[in-house]
């Protein structure tokens, strides 16, 4: 296996926190038909996800100069696929909770965070809009599930076909002794 550099601890921590929260909330979303009592929990976890995504994006910007170089060579299809999948994952993890929040408002409800904080109303009550926002919310959640599958397949493909184990790059829960600080040009 080739030795690889690490993502900073904060990036790794937010990656795994959000992976668990996102996959958990997709599963809760799928259970809503039979367990309506889970809806409030689903919404609150979704709002927590939105807040964590904001922290993740701000943090990624903060550490942008010490991110490891992409494992894929520049201008290859694999590099393009990696950037496209990561970009779409970021887009969907932002859009899905916002769509859920707007759907809730359009259905005539206020979104709340674990009953403590009532969130502002983003769109007025509108039955038709509520239906379409619900459809979009569900569709993008399925899209996210598919992309996560692709993302994991990509990691597996590197391991199977190129003998590259990428997991240690995003498992940096201990700070590496010497972090490479070369000015990478491929971001
Ligand atoms: C909802 C689930 C997930 C999302 C949204 C997600 C998203 C991302 C994103 C955006 C990155 C790029 C680094 C960053 O900006 O943080 C990344 C990196 C990575 N993810 Fe995930 N991920 C998810 C689940 C998983 C799972 C289940 C695995 C297990 C195989 C995994 C393995 C990795 C690895 C190994 C990297 C480092 C890739 C590299 O070498 O550059 N991810 N992930
Ligand atoms: C990233 C976070 C979220 C994920 C991954 C997610 C995922 C899902 C999924 C998979 C469903 C079931 C869709 C179906 O099969 O019909 C669902 C339903 C729903 N979600 Fe979310 N959701 C998230 C955040 C939110 C938020 C923040 C809210 C509101 C504040 C919300 C409100 C709803 C509502 C009201 C439904 C029922 C939709 C309907 O019956 O049309 N979700 N969600």
């Amino acid at each position: 296996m080739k030795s690889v550099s690490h993502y900073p601890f904060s990036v790794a921590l937010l990656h795994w926190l959000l992976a668990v929260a996102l996959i958990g909330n997709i599963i809760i979303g799928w259970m809503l038909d039979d367990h309506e009592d889970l809806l409030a929990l689903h919404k609150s976890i979704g709002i927590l996800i939105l807040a964590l995504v904001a922290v993740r994006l701000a943090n990624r910007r903060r550490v942008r100069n010490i991110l490891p170089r992409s494992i894929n060579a520049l201008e290859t299809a694999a590099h393009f696929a990696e950037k496209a999948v990561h970009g779409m994952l970021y887009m969907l993890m932002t859009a899905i909770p916002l769509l859920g929040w707007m759907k809730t408002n359009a259905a005539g409800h206020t979104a709340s965070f674990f009953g403590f904080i009532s969130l502002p109303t983003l769109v007025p009550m509108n039955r038709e809009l509520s239906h379409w926002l619900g459809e979009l919310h569900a569709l993008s959640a399925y899209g996210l599930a598919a992309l996560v599958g692709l993302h994991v397949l990509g990691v597996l493909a590197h391991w199977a076909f190129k003998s590259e184990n990428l997991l240690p790059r995003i498992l940096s829960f201990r700070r590496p002794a010497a972090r490479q600080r070369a000015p990478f040009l491929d971001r």
Side-chain angles (χ1 to χ4, degrees), residues 8 11 57-68 182 184 187:
V11 173
L57 287 169
N59 181 63
R60 209 175 190 286
R61 200 179 145 71
R62 184 181 68 87
V63 297
R64 64 189 182 283
N65 293 328
I66 53 168
L67 292 175
F184 299 127
R187 287 186 293 270

Side-chain angles (χ1 to χ4, degrees), residues 18 21-33 39-40 42-50 53 92-105 107 109-112 119 130-131 133-135 137-142 144:
L18 271 163
L22 283 163
I23 294 169
N25 223 25
I26 292 176
I27 294 171
I28 296 178
W30 283 334
M31 292 165 65
L32 287 177
D33 273 352
L39 186 57
H42 174 79
K43 291 180 181 177
S44 296
I45 295 177
I47 297 300
L48 179 65
I49 288 174
L50 187 61
V53 170
L92 287 179
M93 63 181 128
T94 311
I96 294 168
L98 281 174
L99 286 166
W101 179 350
M102 289 193 288
K103 188 240 155 34
T104 297
N105 292 160
H109 307 289
T110 305
S112 97
L119 300 172
S130 165
H131 169 77
L133 287 170
E135 292 289 307
H137 179 67
L139 201 72
S140 21
Y142 295 131
L144 177 69

Side-chain angles (χ1 to χ4, degrees), residues 7 11 15-16 18-20 22-23 56 60 68-71 82 86-87 89-90 93 144 148 151-152 155 166-170:
Y7 281 92
V11 173
H15 173 272
W16 293 111
L18 271 163
V20 170
L22 283 163
I23 294 169
R56 182 173 181 174
R60 209 175 190 286
R69 162 203 318 256
S70 167
I71 197 78
E82 176 201 328
H86 288 173
L89 284 170
Y90 274 116
M93 63 181 128
L144 177 69
V148 171
H151 174 59
V152 173
V155 174
L166 302 185
L167 270 180
R169 282 164 63 91
I170 197 91

